[in-house]
Amino acid sequence: MSDVLLTIEKLSVMYGDFIAVEEASLTVDEGQIVSLIGLNGAGKTTLMSAVMGLHKPASGKVVFNGKDITSAHTDRIVAQGLSLIPQGGRCFNRMSVQDNLLMGSFPKTARKGAKETLAHIYELFPVLKEKMRDPAGSLSGGQRQMVAIGRALMARPKCLIFDEISLGLSPAVIKDIYHRIRTINELDKTAVILIEQDTRRALRMSDSFYVMLKGRTVLSGKSDEVDAETLKDAYFGI
Amino acid sequence: MLKRKFTPSHVKVLDSPPMLILCIVLAVGLYIGCFAGLISNKAMRYLVQIFLYITMGEMWNLLSGYAGMTSLGQQLYIGLAGYSVAMATSPLFGLPLFGALLLGAGISVVVSLFMSLILFRLEGMYFSIATLVAAEAFCMLFFAWKFVGQGAGMTIRINPYPTLQEICILSMTICVVALALVYGLLRTRVGLGLTAMRDDITSAASVGVNIFSHKLLVYVIAAFFTALAGGIFFVNKGMIYPDSGFGISWTISMVFIAIIGGTGTVSGPIIGAIIYVFLNEKLADYPGWSNIILGTITILVILFLPNGIMGTLQKKLHFEIFSSKRFSFKLKKAAKEK
Amino acid sequence: MYFIQTLVNGLLLGGYYALIGIGMTMILGIVKLTNLAHGEFVIIGAYMAAVVTSALGIDPILSLVITVPLMFLIGFVLQYVLIGNAMKKGPEPALLVTFGLSIIIMDALRLIFTVNEQSISTPYSTKTFTVLGINISVLNLVLFAISIVSILLLTMFLSRSYVGRAIRATADDAEAAALSGVNIKKVYAIAMGVSMASAAVAGLCIGMKSTFNPTSGGAYLSTAFVVVVIGGMGSIPGTLIAGIVFGLAQVIGGASYGQLISYVMLLLVLVIRPRGILGK
């Protein structure tokens, strides 16, 4: 059917003597939404940080868009078209909203046509256009997430990783943001990885899912085919 | 299942009886040697410097390596002590050496208490810079002060002037007391708190370590012993002027000693001080090139021996002298688990 | 009248002191490195300007065309190859490396240029003119102009260009900047290069304003620290204000108390506003 975009093969990550991720594997097809669920401390964020080159993996392999990106520098990975929106958004608080968004087009591949992309993002998030000159630090939590999403979109990624985007937001805002993620996925055919703790919401959104427990990927499958009991067992490790 | 692999972090602690006895024997031997005049003047000159630099390096290590206060201004207390000694022993006041040294250390403690009011509101680089600037401000004061000879400085006239032998014994005593204190302190609850602060200050605070009082204690102790060492240093030298008393090179020597030896270890500064003193002595043979050589060695050690000499040895050989750890991992058991 | 004269002198010198601080503010605010070699960097700038000026027989200000790019390159390489690697080992090792650099530079300059005082003379070094009864030194005016132009150029670079934005973003949150595709190591190297380039300009100004020798760096290091901390690390407008405050202190306190006044001022600022006048 569709081509494989991202493959994570038996990736392990160590923090000193502590194994945070052990031989985790994951595949994302082009245009697909994949959810990565699991308890706090299961290693979801660490796994994705390692994929992005923020941590050096101890072993394993990451292939993105046909290229081996294991242990590549983060800026190279971003330039390849893989972006991560970190927990809490992590906007550049002292810079204006517009400068934050423009930062997203830093990779040389994204600089051409940055203006059009910017207009597109203002269309997607009209609030940001109103506040384009305000420092990002003055915005609300939901708006800061929008800035972070917009910033990542400016690089025109082929695949976007959302790290617990719903953390600390109100249900209405979460719903709104999820709606926009769907739009992004459908319009631009951008593949999406959702790191989530809320299993039900993640499964409703995604085509396929992976469950992580204590550093390993313990269960995976199609989101609409899984039965609740199996999922619960894998999630809590019973 | 999550596994914990026990790899290199176990360390065998060698401070239990044999090592401690060896150190005490060494110290007693040196004492007897000094008293009996068995040690040559040249050796004693080295020893004085080594003892004083060990004291200063150990204090800086305590400040930065444990309490996370990277001070660039410890020369403040050296200068204050040096000038206190010079003034108090001058014919005008005529204090004996001991009195003058204690006076200098006392003044330093008072100033350090006052400085803590300003400094402890600051963190990181702001703290470092404020300590440096405070020392510079005192330097300027002494530059402008007529009584202490302004830029030309003061000659120290103690009556009777202590002999090299006495200076050596005195500096050794201070060094031993300082080492014992640091070693003891790190093994008490306070030391546990300090080690926790070094690793993560927020978590330390959240488990009930009183950050302020720990910092204050360490800062004042460091001021006291740095001042004692500084005072003796200038007695040995015979004169003091603002740049020699309050120069940043003092702190840089301490940083060098602590980092070259290995920060966060009690034994590191001992090795660091010995290396520093001999290096300085050897480099005097290369006028004009000495700083180039010292600077290059510094940079090379930092780049290639990241844990300092003691730290690297510890990692390679899995042992630790004078550890503040209260137990040692069993190496054999760990090897089996692997 | 005396009051206004003092104010004008202090203001004109303010740009000069801000220029000495500006390179330091980049490094402290962006690279988060306490650079103990900044004073020596400035002195290298002064020697370079002196050599280029006398070798080519041109106006000292034109020497910047050569010294600024050269210093940028040196700074970039130093950070990329040396200081960046030391920074991985923690702030204290990095600090000690910059100190190692500072003493190496000091001795190297002494070997090359001897310990004699040098200066860069210009035809307008001693000229003054009077406006409304206020004496204005042409040299001070030139220094002020150089400083303001440099600071404006730097501000524009930081706010308008992609690299400038990346520098500000890195100062704010280095990991998030990396996730936006920024090569942090390179950005730090560029920041150090810019800092060195500003040291080239500051060095030229110091050479024209007073004499210098291989060991004069230390005094300028303290000046830079004071200006940066009063202004707030990483804040360019703050640095300019702090430079003017510092300049006024120098003019009012004179040679013997000027420095002391500024140190006390710095400690006061730290107590009242620990992040500097314009710091956040």
Side-chain angles (χ1 to χ4, degrees):
Chain A
M1 200 174 73
S2 49
D3 294 331
V4 175
L5 184 62
L6 173 72
T7 329
I8 302 171
E9 224 177 275
K10 293 190 172 175
L11 203 70
S12 299
V13 187
M14 314 265 296
Y15 283 126
D17 301 340
F18 176 79
I19 305 175
V21 173
E22 195 173 7
E23 302 199 335
S25 298
L26 189 152
T27 325
V28 181
D29 292 342
E30 271 174 21
Q32 207 185 17
I33 299 185
V34 172
S35 54
L36 179 60
I37 51 188
L39 291 167
N40 246 341
K44 309 180 297 280
T45 299
T46 307
L47 173 63
M48 286 305 153
S49 304
V51 169
M52 291 305 296
L54 295 173
H55 294 300
K56 234 192 163 85
S59 62
K61 197 172 160 192
V62 184
V63 179
F64 179 73
N65 206 16
K67 285 192 183 113
D68 187 343
I69 56 162
T70 325
S71 302
H73 283 293
T74 307
D75 54 298
R76 290 282 162 81
I77 296 172
V78 174
Q80 293 286 326
L82 181 61
S83 282
L84 181 141
I85 296 156
Q87 259 172 48
R90 302 263 289 269
C91 294
F92 305 118
N93 288 332
R94 284 181 288 178
M95 292 165 67
S96 69
V97 169
Q98 172 123 325
D99 276 355
N100 261 277
L101 295 176
L102 285 175
M103 260 318 288
S105 57
F106 185 81
K108 291 216 167 64
T109 45
R111 287 191 200 180
K112 261 190 235 159
K115 265 189 190 156
E116 289 81 49
T117 324
L118 189 65
H120 176 61
I121 285 162
Y122 281 145
E123 223 168 89
L124 201 61
F125 303 108
V127 198
L128 299 186
K129 189 164 191 181
E130 284 166 33
K131 307 216 168 196
M132 60 191 254
R133 292 191 197 290
D134 295 3
S138 69
L139 305 185
S140 73
Q143 288 166 346
R144 278 214 297 273
Q145 286 286 16
M146 291 179 196
V147 173
I149 297 172
R151 188 177 67 196
L153 285 176
M154 285 296 288
R156 270 171 287 158
K158 296 186 185 74
C159 179
L160 258 180
I161 305 167
F162 293 86
D163 192 353
E164 308 221 0
I165 192 95
S166 53
L167 209 70
L169 300 181
S170 71
V173 177
I174 297 174
K175 209 178 156 196
D176 183 43
I177 287 197
Y178 265 81
H179 176 70
R180 284 166 215 267
I181 292 176
R182 177 80 76 188
T183 317
I184 293 164
N185 173 251
E186 280 167 3
L187 277 185
D188 309 327
K189 296 280 164 265
T190 311
V192 170
I193 301 175
L194 290 172
I195 301 179
E196 259 299 349
Q197 284 191 54
D198 185 335
T199 318
R200 215 177 297 160
R201 195 187 307 121
L203 287 179
R204 254 202 321 267
M205 272 289 284
S206 56
D207 304 311
S208 64
F209 73 95
Y210 288 81
V211 179
M212 272 189 94
L213 179 74
K214 293 184 180 171
R216 292 165 161 249
T217 38
V218 288
L219 183 71
S220 64
K222 292 243 180 276
S223 297
D224 45 8
E225 289 171 3
V226 67
D227 79 284
E229 232 16 70
T230 331
L231 186 69
K232 207 166 92 190
D233 288 355
Y235 192 85
F236 292 107
I238 304 163
Chain B
M1 263 299 289
L2 209 68
K3 274 187 266 176
R4 275 170 190 277
K5 272 188 193 161
F6 285 101
T7 20
S9 55
H10 350 236
V11 160
K12 194 171 183 190
V13 179
L14 286 188
D15 46 84
S16 40
M19 206 58 201
L20 220 61
I21 290 169
L22 186 72
C23 290
I24 292 170
V25 168
L26 198 68
V28 171
L30 278 173
Y31 263 116
I32 294 172
C34 272
F35 272 114
L38 295 174
I39 298 173
S40 72
N41 275 1
K42 194 181 168 198
M44 272 201 280
R45 250 176 243 123
Y46 275 109
L47 282 177
V48 169
Q49 289 206 26
I50 290 173
F51 289 139
L52 296 179
Y53 275 119
I54 290 176
T55 312
M56 294 179 202
E58 204 66 68
M59 286 304 142
W60 191 85
N61 186 25
L62 189 65
L63 270 180
S64 173
Y66 282 95
M69 294 186 279
T70 305
S71 168
L72 291 179
Q74 288 310 96
Q75 64 270 28
L76 170 58
Y77 304 112
I78 290 177
L80 280 176
Y83 271 107
S84 301
V85 170
M87 277 190 272
T89 56
S90 70
L92 189 61
F93 298 106
L95 239 64
L97 177 63
F98 270 111
L101 279 175
L102 284 178
L103 180 74
I107 290 174
S108 293
V109 166
V110 172
V111 171
S112 73
L113 285 171
F114 172 74
M115 288 304 299
S116 68
L117 293 178
I118 301 177
L119 295 174
F120 287 10
R121 301 162 56 103
L122 309 170
E123 272 170 19
M125 289 185 288
Y126 286 93
F127 178 86
S128 305
I129 293 172
T131 52
L132 174 64
V133 167
E136 291 278 298
F138 270 88
C139 184
M140 286 286 153
L141 263 180
F142 279 83
F143 244 115
W145 192 359
K146 283 229 171 71
F147 181 77
V148 298
Q150 292 180 318
M154 290 179 90
T155 309
I156 297 172
R157 299 195 196 89
I158 310 171
N159 194 19
Y161 211 91
T163 62
L164 183 60
Q165 195 184 15
E166 284 163 352
I167 292 175
C168 187
I169 292 169
L170 198 57
S171 36
M172 182 166 167
T173 309
I174 287 172
C175 177
V176 168
V177 172
L179 276 175
L181 185 87
V182 171
Y183 181 61
L185 187 73
L186 290 179
R187 291 179 66 115
T188 60
R189 280 175 61 87
V190 177
L192 212 55
L194 285 173
T195 317
M197 278 166 66
R198 176 189 63 180
D199 290 344
D200 188 332
I201 197 151
T202 323
S203 334
S206 69
V207 293
V209 177
N210 185 335
I211 304 290
F212 184 84
S213 67
H214 276 70
K215 276 189 169 179
L216 188 64
L217 181 71
V218 166
Y219 191 69
V220 171
I221 289 177
F224 182 81
F225 278 99
T226 307
L228 279 181
I232 298 175
F233 203 97
F234 283 105
V235 171
N236 190 34
K237 225 175 170 184
M239 71 167 308
I240 183 169
Y241 50 94
D243 278 340
S244 74
F246 296 99
I248 191 185
S249 55
W250 282 114
T251 293
I252 295 302
S253 325
M254 297 176 211
V255 181
F256 180 90
I257 288 164
I259 291 186
I260 297 294
T263 41
T265 63
V266 180
S267 51
I270 301 176
I271 305 291
I274 294 171
I275 292 173
Y276 181 74
V277 169
F278 278 101
L279 204 59
N280 252 349
E281 210 61 39
K282 281 277 158 257
L283 289 180
D285 299 342
Y286 304 92
W289 287 86
S290 61
N291 278 338
I292 295 180
I293 300 168
L294 186 67
T296 311
I297 293 176
T298 307
I299 291 171
L300 289 179
V301 169
I302 288 173
L303 289 182
F304 298 110
L305 294 178
N307 300 304
I309 289 169
M310 272 331 272
T312 309
L313 279 180
Q314 267 178 24
K315 273 211 166 153
K316 286 252 160 72
L317 304 175
H318 304 293
F319 77 91
E320 192 170 344
I321 310 170
F322 287 144
S323 175
S324 55
K325 291 193 183 79
R326 297 171 202 203
F327 55 88
S328 35
F329 286 103
K330 289 281 186 314
L331 277 173
K332 274 185 194 161
K333 199 179 160 196
K336 261 185 215 163
E337 277 181 32
K338 228 188 283 178
Chain C
M1 199 38 84
Y2 170 76
F3 175 71
I4 297 176
Q5 178 73 56
T6 310
L7 207 64
V8 168
N9 287 349
L11 196 72
L12 287 182
L13 277 179
Y16 166 73
Y17 288 118
L19 193 58
I20 295 171
I22 210 104
M24 184 68 112
T25 212
M26 298 270 306
I27 294 309
L28 282 171
I30 295 158
V31 187
K32 316 267 191 289
L33 167 79
T34 313
N35 179 9
L36 293 178
H38 191 69
E40 277 68 34
F41 288 176
V42 170
I43 298 301
I44 293 184
Y47 273 106
M48 256 189 207
V51 168
V52 171
T53 305
S54 67
L56 302 182
I58 48 174
D59 188 276
I61 296 172
L62 288 178
S63 73
L64 290 178
V65 177
I66 296 170
T67 61
V68 166
L70 195 59
M71 288 280 275
F72 176 87
L73 205 67
I74 297 174
F76 186 95
V77 172
L78 268 183
Q79 176 69 31
Y80 202 83
V81 176
L82 183 62
I83 302 174
N85 283 324
M87 278 170 61
K88 282 186 209 148
K89 283 148 196 158
E92 292 85 18
L95 181 95
L96 195 54
V97 164
T98 63
F99 178 75
L101 279 176
S102 89
I103 59 177
I104 291 174
I105 293 168
M106 222 187 289
D107 263 17
L109 288 176
R110 225 183 321 216
L111 287 175
I112 303 170
F113 297 103
T114 74
V115 291
N116 296 332
E117 296 280 338
Q118 294 211 14
S119 67
I120 302 166
S121 61
T122 56
Y124 39 82
S125 286
T126 52
K127 287 205 178 106
T128 57
F129 62 92
T130 311
V131 182
L132 302 169
I134 296 159
N135 288 319
I136 293 173
S137 133
V138 175
L139 180 65
N140 282 356
L141 199 64
V142 169
L143 295 182
F144 185 72
I146 294 176
S147 311
I148 296 300
V149 168
S150 320
I151 290 170
L152 275 179
L153 283 175
L154 185 61
T155 313
M156 267 166 59
F157 164 70
L158 287 177
S159 61
R160 301 281 166 80
S161 68
Y162 265 104
V163 177
R165 255 198 303 271
I167 288 178
R168 283 186 296 142
T170 308
D172 219 337
D173 185 337
E175 197 173 271
L179 284 171
S180 306
V182 176
N183 182 338
I184 302 299
K185 204 178 165 193
K186 215 155 129 191
V187 161
Y188 282 166
I190 292 171
M192 183 59 92
V194 173
S195 168
M196 276 289 248
S198 85
V201 185
L204 169 77
C205 291
I206 285 168
M208 296 202 295
K209 173 87 189 141
S210 57
T211 61
F212 56 90
N213 67 52
T215 56
S216 342
Y220 294 110
L221 178 72
S222 308
T223 304
F225 272 142
V226 173
V227 170
V228 168
V229 176
I230 291 181
M233 286 175 196
S235 160
I236 290 178
T239 307
L240 190 57
I241 294 174
I244 291 169
V245 171
F246 191 87
L248 284 172
Q250 298 303 308
V251 174
I252 294 167
S256 42
Y257 292 103
Q259 205 79 357
L260 188 59
I261 292 176
S262 49
Y263 288 154
V264 173
M265 241 160 29
L266 167 75
L267 293 177
L268 279 180
V269 167
L270 281 176
V271 172
I272 301 161
R273 283 196 62 108
R275 292 270 175 267
I277 298 177
L278 292 187
K280 277 168 197 163

